[in-house]
Structures are given as C-alpha cells and as structure tokens.
Amino acid sequence: MNLKSQNSRPLHYITTSAHQSQINPNYKNDYPQMGEVDPAFIQAIEHRPRPTIIEANEIPVLDLSPISSLDHLPKNHAISKDMVDLISEVAEASEKWGFFQVINHGVPPDKLEKLELIARKFFALPLEEKKKVSRDEGNPLGYYDAEHTKNVRDWKEVFDFTVRDPTVIPVSPDKLEAQLLVNRWPDYPTELREVAQEYAQEVEKLAFKLLELIALSLGLSADRLNGFFKDHTSFIRLNHYPPCPAPQLALGVGRHKDVGALTILAQDGVGGLEVRQKSNGEWVRVKPTPGAFIINVGDIIQVWSNDKYESVEHRVMVNSQKDRLSIPFFFNPAHYVNLKPLEELLNEHNRAKFREYNWGEFFAIRKQSNFKKLNVENIQISHFRITE
C-alpha cells in the first residue's frame, strides 16, 4: 500500500469507477482511479481496527410497544406493569452498556426508507454539486467530506440539517453570541428537504419519549428533562462511508463519545458500528437489527445522572467491498441551557461530580475540531469533572 499525501483530492478517490458502479448505479465517474490512502486518514497503531470482529450479541433490544402510541409518558402513579418493566430495562441497559436498541418504536419504516434512498441519490452526485451546499465555520449545516475525530480525518462524507429550522446556537468559540442557523438544501434531489423534514418530525417524537423513559428510570418525573429541550438544537446527519482500500488503517469515524443527550441511530444492513464495552474495554460490533434504532446515552445524560449512566466510546469501521449509510439523530438541548448534575439525585453520599457548563458554548468550542486538526485534545465533559 502506497501511503502518499493527496490532500487536494476528495474522499471518493479511493475506489475505482467499476467498483462504485456495482455498488451504486447512480455513481458518477468523476474521480481518478487511485490506490493510495492519504496519511491524514491513518489511525495511530493502538487505535487501528483489529482483524477479528467480536459481535455484541448481548446488547439489549427493547420493545417500545407499551409507549409507541403515546404522545407523552404518564406520571409515576399511572404507569402500567409493562411500562414498569420497560423502565427497568432502560435503566439496566443505560447503566451496563450506555447503548441499547429499540423496536416497535412508532417511527413509520417508509419515512426512513425514503430518506435512505434520497440520501444515496445526493451522495452519488458529482463533488462540485454537493459542494454547492457545503458547510463552513460560519454555518455547520450542509455537506462536508473532511471531518476530523480525535484529530484524524474520518473516512466519510456527511450532510447535516437541524430538526428545528431555523435553529439558534453559537457556532464559533471566538464569537459566543447565539446565531441563527438555516438549513442548506440542495437543488437536487428536489425532494430531499421534504423527506428529511418528515423523518425528523417522527424521530423527534421518539426522542422525547426516550428522554421521558430515561427520566423515569432515574426516579424522576417523566417530564423532568423536557424543559431543557424547549428550543432544542438537535440535528440529523446523513453519513456516507465509501468503500476503503485500507480498512485496517482507517476508520469511518474514530473513537469518540456523543456530547449531546441521546443519539438515535439508523444504520443499513452493512453495519460497522463498534462499541467499547465498559466491563473489559473490548471493541464489539453492533449487528444491525432490521427495523431497530440504536440508542446511546450521551455526555449530557451522564452529567445529569452524575455518572450513574455513562456515555461510552464508539467508532465506525469501514468496508473494502461495500459502501455504508447511517443516519443519526443527535438530541441536544437549547443553547442557553446550563448543564450540571440534577439536584434530586445528589446527597451526602453522592456529591456532584461535574461543574456547571453552558451547552451553547460547549458546542461552539467542540465544533472547531471538525474543520481542522488541533494540537490539543478537544473539549470533553472530563474537563468539567470535579476532582477531590
């Protein structure tokens, strides 16, 4: 393998046109046929994928049938036996894994299928067309193909849009005043905006139900956390991972923890998501379950729960033969929300483990590493941890 810097070339140059046409009939032959990998993608030796895959068969799959028809969960005194069991399962999965899958979640499958189809059409466009809706440091919405995680470039291209359009949030650490962000929609596929917004509305409903389940599992009122999301800054990402000639060297997304409250992930049948087990630190593959969403607890839930529920590291593997599509919904509070352990969960034996911080400022500082390689670790909730 010839490892040579090709910083000016797009991510797509790593596949041949013949291979891409087999994977994606809409593929446009606009990229040179190269057999090289830009060193910017190469992971440090200790973080590279292992040749053997361990499948995590024990990650819980929770049936949301008891709440799928509800707009909001009932107060504690009106909870059914089935819901009590479900709340217990959420608590156990959140504490043990920080991840779980959900079925019978109420999101119409055709909404996701339409979005996946349209997303593939968009990513099959020539690069110059996709870049017409490129995001930048002033507006982090739209298309991008050079994102970094842990200061290593990810093997992917993305398209981001907010659930609330417009959304208000700071985006620059040099200018922390909240800004009005408006989604950038491409001219083609023309139906992307409508299909994306319809899907977003359905997953937003699920996000609030899951938030209420988390609250109940912590012994709180179902609506205890809802107020933080009155003007929420949630967004959806369309992730496309092209085939990679060096899957033993690069990652679709490097190891990281999600900084928001909850993530609701839809992934196609190719798979590639790996989670670091809390029990032994091993990386395990999350096998795609048809019709299921993967839910992971984010940093904000970890802070609110004062470490009872822990946001866990995860990463995305790439495939040398197939491309992959995934669609995460990142459920984030309003920009003005200050985050700290919830008072109801604290006592003399469980003192606050995190200092208070502002979500909008945290988001703005965090985003800077997406556009450039930093010389230091990007901001983490660990920077707000209270040390004895």
Side-chain angles (χ1 to χ4, degrees):
M1 182 65 65
N2 180 16
L3 303 183
K4 180 180 177 183
S5 179
Q6 300 288 342
N7 290 324
S8 62
R9 290 193 172 96
L11 180 149
H12 307 67
Y13 72 84
I14 47 83
T15 56
T16 66
S17 57
H19 189 124
Q20 268 282 21
S21 63
Q22 293 174 0
I23 297 170
N24 186 351
N26 297 315
Y27 172 72
K28 305 292 192 299
N29 182 15
D30 295 309
Y31 304 105
Q33 297 181 29
M34 302 291 293
E36 302 166 338
V37 175
D38 188 326
F41 293 104
I42 306 303
Q43 294 284 329
I45 293 176
E46 64 271 22
H47 299 305
R48 291 176 189 172
R50 293 184 179 181
T52 56
I53 297 174
I54 304 172
E55 285 197 344
N57 298 318
E58 64 268 40
I59 288 183
V61 178
L62 308 187
D63 187 342
L64 299 188
S65 296
I67 66 168
S68 60
S69 63
L70 303 176
D71 292 330
H72 292 283
L73 273 59
K75 301 296 183 180
N76 298 53
H77 64 272
I79 294 176
S80 67
K81 173 62 168 61
D82 287 344
M83 197 176 299
V84 168
D85 292 341
L86 176 58
I87 293 167
S88 177
E89 291 172 353
V90 168
E92 183 178 0
S94 300
E95 194 165 354
K96 181 179 179 180
W97 281 94
F99 267 82
F100 53 91
Q101 299 187 68
V102 294
I103 58 174
N104 296 320
H105 40 67
V107 177
D110 65 301
K111 302 293 184 184
L112 174 59
E113 291 167 3
K114 288 179 182 178
L115 183 55
E116 288 176 332
L117 178 62
I118 299 303
R120 291 189 183 278
K121 286 184 179 180
F122 172 76
F123 288 122
L125 293 174
L127 184 62
E128 59 268 23
E129 286 298 312
K130 290 181 284 192
K131 285 199 168 184
K132 289 180 180 179
V133 288
S134 286
R135 77 187 200 190
D136 52 45
E137 294 189 44
N139 186 345
L141 303 176
Y143 176 78
Y144 200 60
D145 67 349
E147 190 164 272
H148 290 71
T149 302
K150 301 290 186 182
N151 293 320
V152 180
R153 189 173 169 186
D154 296 331
W155 194 274
K156 68 177 181 183
E157 54 182 341
V158 306
F159 180 84
D160 290 346
F161 61 95
T162 55
V163 177
R164 299 281 178 89
D165 190 14
T167 289
V168 178
I169 192 170
V171 296
S172 169
D174 302 318
K175 185 180 179 182
L176 291 175
E177 295 87 354
Q179 299 179 49
L180 191 69
L181 302 185
V182 178
N183 286 325
R184 292 171 167 166
W185 300 106
D187 292 332
Y188 181 85
T190 55
E191 61 269 45
L192 176 57
R193 179 174 186 169
E194 179 181 357
V195 171
Q197 289 176 333
E198 288 180 356
Y199 176 77
Q201 290 172 3
E202 296 295 335
V203 185
E204 182 183 28
K205 297 175 187 175
L206 174 60
F208 274 101
K209 293 178 186 179
L210 291 168
L211 186 71
E212 292 177 353
L213 276 175
I214 291 287
L216 289 168
S217 74
L218 290 169
L220 306 169
S221 173
D223 61 357
R224 172 63 176 88
L225 306 175
N226 291 16
F228 297 121
F229 294 83
K230 179 182 178 182
D231 302 305
H232 67 82
T233 56
S234 308
F235 70 98
I236 291 177
R237 167 165 292 177
L238 308 179
N239 280 317
H240 177 237
Y241 304 94
C244 176
Q248 76 280 12
L249 300 177
L251 288 170
V253 182
R255 71 198 192 285
H256 69 286
K257 298 182 178 184
D258 289 352
V259 298
L262 292 170
T263 301
I264 302 174
L265 174 70
Q267 64 170 341
D268 65 14
V270 175
L273 176 66
E274 292 195 339
V275 179
R276 188 190 290 276
Q277 290 188 101
K278 293 172 62 176
S279 59
N280 57 18
E282 289 287 339
W283 288 103
V284 293
R285 180 72 58 93
V286 182
K287 184 179 180 180
T289 300
F293 286 117
I294 299 170
I295 313 300
N296 72 282
V297 170
D299 286 349
I300 291 176
I301 296 294
Q302 179 172 343
V303 170
W304 278 336
S305 71
N306 206 37
D307 278 349
K308 180 176 176 61
Y309 298 161
E310 183 181 349
S311 175
V312 296
E313 274 195 322
H314 51 287
R315 65 184 185 182
V316 176
M317 315 300 285
V318 284
N319 192 301
S320 63
Q321 301 299 317
K322 301 177 181 179
D323 66 343
R324 175 178 181 262
L325 188 73
S326 72
I327 305 177
F329 174 110
F330 298 103
F331 196 37
N332 301 327
H335 74 90
Y336 49 76
V337 168
N338 289 330
L339 301 163
K340 62 180 181 178
L342 298 171
E343 294 291 342
E344 303 98 305
L345 303 180
L346 302 179
N347 55 52
E348 61 178 326
H349 303 294
N350 184 33
R351 299 187 183 279
K353 298 177 181 177
F354 296 92
R355 291 183 286 110
E356 185 172 323
Y357 65 96
N358 175 264
W359 166 244
E361 294 182 9
F362 185 96
F363 177 87
I365 296 171
R366 178 85 174 196
K367 290 299 278 187
Q368 65 181 329
S369 73
N370 288 349
F371 297 92
K372 57 188 176 183
K373 184 174 181 177
L374 304 177
N375 295 321
V376 296
E377 181 186 33
N378 201 359
I379 191 169
Q380 311 284 341
I381 59 169
S382 58
H383 295 135
F384 299 91
R385 184 172 289 280
I386 298 172
T387 56
E388 297 296 338

